[in-house]
Amino acid sequence: MQRRHCLIAALPWPCGAAWASSALQQAMRRAEALRDEALRAGDQPYGAVVLRGESIVGAAPSRVITAADPGAHAEREALRDAARRLGSNELRDCVLVSTSRPCAMCEAAAGQAGIVRMIYGTALSDGGAPQVRVDGADLVAAAEAGDLARLRQRLAAGTPVNARDARARTALLAATWADRIDAARLLIEGGADVNAKDELQDSPFLVAGAEGRLAILRLTLAAGADLRSTNRYGGTALIPAAHHGHVETVRELLKTKIDIDHVNRLGWTALLEAIILGDGGAAHGEIVRLLVAHGAQLQLADAQGVTPLAHAQARGQKTIVEILRRAGAKA
């Protein structure tokens, strides 16, 4: 049988791209099953497999919590499993398939192992070849301080725009936490990755949503923010935005195709979190109104079977109770 290179990976795939797509879909289903296994065990919601040709040679769920090991991310555990099975730490003809984009730590491990490609998420997004981390501590510090002159100087000197510090933060992530809008704009215009996660699974887009950094959120959305990306609690950007009462941030996110009914690993949607962790005041009332108006499922209960209306009633949130009842919600 002749072998030719598939477009999605720099290695020979039998039968071409159609076969490769089928193999990757099968690998992703296995990774998603491992993610679900991790959730059932009370761990972080991630799974990963290592694929060589048509064979899965390594697989693992996240074991960060169950093994009490901060480094036991699903991707690193899958790489270890593949190395054990193959009897070698050289995985130069393998692809890493994971349920979310690998963090900097996992990407570095994949690069050291020789992984040729990273594929992540249900959509089988192509993360390219793993990149070796370049020390970007000075660039990150400049972004955090909003020092545009130093940022331009470091970039002109050749520091990669996505270089990371010891905490795996990119300059854009640091700028987002510090709400340095001009620095964020400069970095995004220079090609900064708005979805690059640190070791805590925070990305510029996720932080902008969670912390109500509205101007930076808009920049990240325009630059290709991954609406399916999740934080370490398994929540999209919409869920913590609703929790923290960021009305305009929620309004902005609801203009996109973000999943309004996504459930995090606590068993909560944005609507549930706005009620359970909110204070029932004007901001959270407006967020509930927005979510209801955009079609949030009113009867989608938490892991214990308690509905949004029942939670609002138990907390004496009269305004929210009225909004939900008018929309047809039942306890």
Side-chain angles (χ1 to χ4, degrees), residues 2-164:
Q2 289 187 337
R3 296 160 75 87
R4 62 193 178 94
H5 284 274
C6 172
L7 296 175
I8 59 174
L11 58 95
W13 293 93
C15 307
W19 180 92
S21 177
S22 175
L24 289 174
Q25 288 170 1
Q26 185 176 23
M28 183 56 69
R29 286 194 291 271
R30 174 64 175 142
E32 290 172 340
L34 289 163
R35 175 200 61 197
D36 296 342
E37 176 185 319
L39 274 170
R40 288 193 297 271
D43 217 302
Q44 296 179 345
Y46 304 107
V49 303
V50 177
L51 190 64
R52 171 181 277 178
E54 61 182 312
S55 301
I56 293 175
V57 296
S62 169
R63 299 189 178 106
V64 170
I65 296 173
T66 55
D69 180 356
H73 291 195
E75 295 89 345
R76 281 165 57 96
E77 292 292 283
L79 293 170
R80 292 188 183 113
D81 186 43
R84 283 193 296 266
R85 292 194 202 185
L86 298 174
S88 171
N89 62 354
E90 297 286 340
L91 305 176
R92 298 194 179 278
D93 55 352
C94 297
V95 173
L96 179 62
V97 180
S98 54
T99 53
S100 67
R101 189 184 183 100
C103 70
M105 177 178 68
C106 293
E107 183 170 356
Q112 290 168 357
I115 291 290
V116 298
R117 212 76 174 175
M118 300 182 301
I119 304 295
Y120 65 93
T122 304
L124 300 178
S125 299
D126 186 354
Q131 300 297 308
V132 177
R133 184 187 301 182
V134 176
D135 183 11
D138 192 53
L139 186 73
V140 172
E144 194 166 34
D147 189 336
L148 300 185
R150 185 152 58 108
L151 268 180
R152 292 190 179 99
Q153 181 184 51
R154 296 311 306 156
L155 292 170
T159 302
V161 72
N162 290 315
R164 300 170 185 265

Side-chain angles (χ1 to χ4, degrees), residues 70 78 85 100 118 155 162 182 211 221 238 259 292 299 322 324:
R85 292 194 202 185
S100 67
M118 300 182 301
L155 292 170
N162 290 315
D182 290 338
E211 299 300 317
L221 289 170
L238 180 63
D259 183 359
V292 169
Q299 298 307 124
E322 183 63 22
L324 294 174

